[in-house]
Amino acid sequence: PMNQNRLHDNFVYSTSDNKMTRRGVGKIGQPKSSTSLEFVRHWLTQSNQKTGSRLPPERILAGTLSLSRPKLRKALAVLENEGRINRHVGRGTFVIIPPTPLISMADMTDRVSPYDAMTARITLEPELAQLAALHATPQQISRALTLCADIRAAPTWEEYERLDSALHDLIAQSSGNVLLHEMHKIMNAVRQVVVWRQLLLSVEGPPPDYQSFNEHDAIVTAIAKRDCAAAKLAMRAHLKSTLNAMTAEV
């Protein structure tokens, strides 16, 4: 028949109109970020996207999934960190085959609290910053300085989150340790879901005096000066500041 529906948990993928909906409620509204992530993940599976295939443009995919574009971008960012997709500026977003994880990302995010995610970062990322001060290439340092400037100019929290994630990933990559970088990718994907979805941001974007701006500058400056101890301390101070801000009202 023309309209065969394939079911997956609480979602229905319709082959006739390439749409994904929740069972029993028709076309969906705007779900929470964590639900949006699962929704996009199910769509990738149910629509039989092949390795190497290019996803529809963001505007079209957002309409197909009945998601806002900010929520779609956030879900795609997590999927990129998971190794499900590759996003190339000017070329598009492509499906790739990820390695089989020992534990699913969905299961992990359900079991990790925001506090757990931040304490894991405090354990790992200062060491990565210290290694980056030793091993970062001039090109990586230049890119980190550019990201710091771009972060200051971010007009929205969504853009700030994207750039902040890119900076921390670059520092992890600059450590020169492939295994630690891959561990950081997993941790970063988890924290994007369990930390950012918990934050109640009352304004459109970060204020000009947002404390993380100077903290990022201190980390990258120490890396550029090859000051391992200062880089480690600056990263720890930055993450402690973020954790304190998260728990200030608890």
Side-chain angles (χ1 to χ4, degrees):
M2 290 295 292
N3 186 12
Q4 291 183 339
N5 291 335
R6 289 172 290 180
L7 303 183
H8 193 295
D9 297 334
N10 293 321
F11 303 98
V12 180
Y13 177 70
S14 174
T15 56
S16 64
D17 57 8
N18 200 35
K19 293 274 187 179
M20 196 94 163
T21 57
R22 286 181 184 275
R23 287 191 291 185
V25 296
K27 190 175 182 178
I28 64 169
Q30 297 295 335
K32 296 179 180 178
S33 296
S34 57
T35 306
S36 302
L37 173 60
E38 290 307 304
F39 204 52
V40 178
R41 186 180 282 119
H42 282 307
W43 178 82
L44 278 175
T45 301
Q46 296 295 336
S47 59
N48 288 327
Q49 297 293 326
K50 305 298 183 184
T51 300
S53 63
R54 185 167 62 183
L55 297 185
E58 183 181 284
R59 175 181 56 82
I60 295 175
L61 186 57
T64 297
L65 300 179
S66 299
L67 294 175
S68 68
R69 292 176 74 172
K71 287 180 178 176
L72 175 61
R73 290 190 198 109
K74 182 174 290 189
L76 291 176
V78 174
L79 291 174
E80 184 175 30
N81 276 323
E82 291 180 1
R84 297 286 302 273
I85 59 174
N86 272 336
R87 294 191 290 179
H88 301 280
V89 176
R91 293 178 54 202
T93 301
F94 297 85
V95 177
I96 60 177
I97 295 179
T100 302
L102 297 177
I103 182 173
S104 73
M105 190 61 63
D107 185 40
M108 193 179 299
T109 55
D110 284 341
R111 296 166 54 185
V112 174
S113 71
Y115 183 85
D116 290 340
M118 286 305 304
T119 53
R121 294 185 68 191
I122 291 170
T123 300
L124 179 61
E125 292 196 49
E127 303 298 329
L128 292 172
Q130 178 175 254
L131 288 171
L134 279 175
H135 300 293
T137 66
Q139 184 179 23
Q140 288 170 327
I141 291 173
S142 176
R143 174 60 179 153
L145 290 168
T146 299
L147 281 170
C148 283
D150 291 344
I151 286 171
R152 283 184 177 273
T156 64
W157 282 113
E158 177 194 351
E159 182 67 3
Y160 173 88
E161 178 188 352
R162 185 184 70 80
L163 293 168
D164 175 76
S165 177
L167 176 62
H168 283 272
D169 180 72
L170 177 61
I171 292 170
Q173 183 184 44
S174 301
S175 71
N177 188 305
V178 174
L179 179 57
L180 290 178
H181 184 209
E182 291 302 318
M183 290 172 62
H184 180 267
K185 283 184 178 181
I186 295 171
M187 185 174 66
N188 197 33
V190 172
R191 71 104 178 179
Q192 283 186 294
V193 176
V194 303
V195 175
W196 275 97
R197 76 180 180 189
Q198 299 293 328
L199 299 181
L200 300 176
L201 305 173
S202 57
V203 294
E204 177 66 17
D209 60 347
Y210 190 51
Q211 78 277 358
S212 289
F213 295 157
N214 290 336
E215 293 166 1
H216 286 147
D217 288 346
I219 296 166
V220 175
T221 297
I223 291 172
K225 291 181 177 179
R226 306 297 183 181
D227 190 333
C228 299
K232 181 176 181 177
L233 288 173
M235 180 64 82
R236 183 177 294 278
H238 167 53
L239 297 174
K240 285 279 191 179
S241 174
T242 303
L243 179 61
N244 290 339
M246 286 174 52
T247 59
E249 297 181 2
V250 176

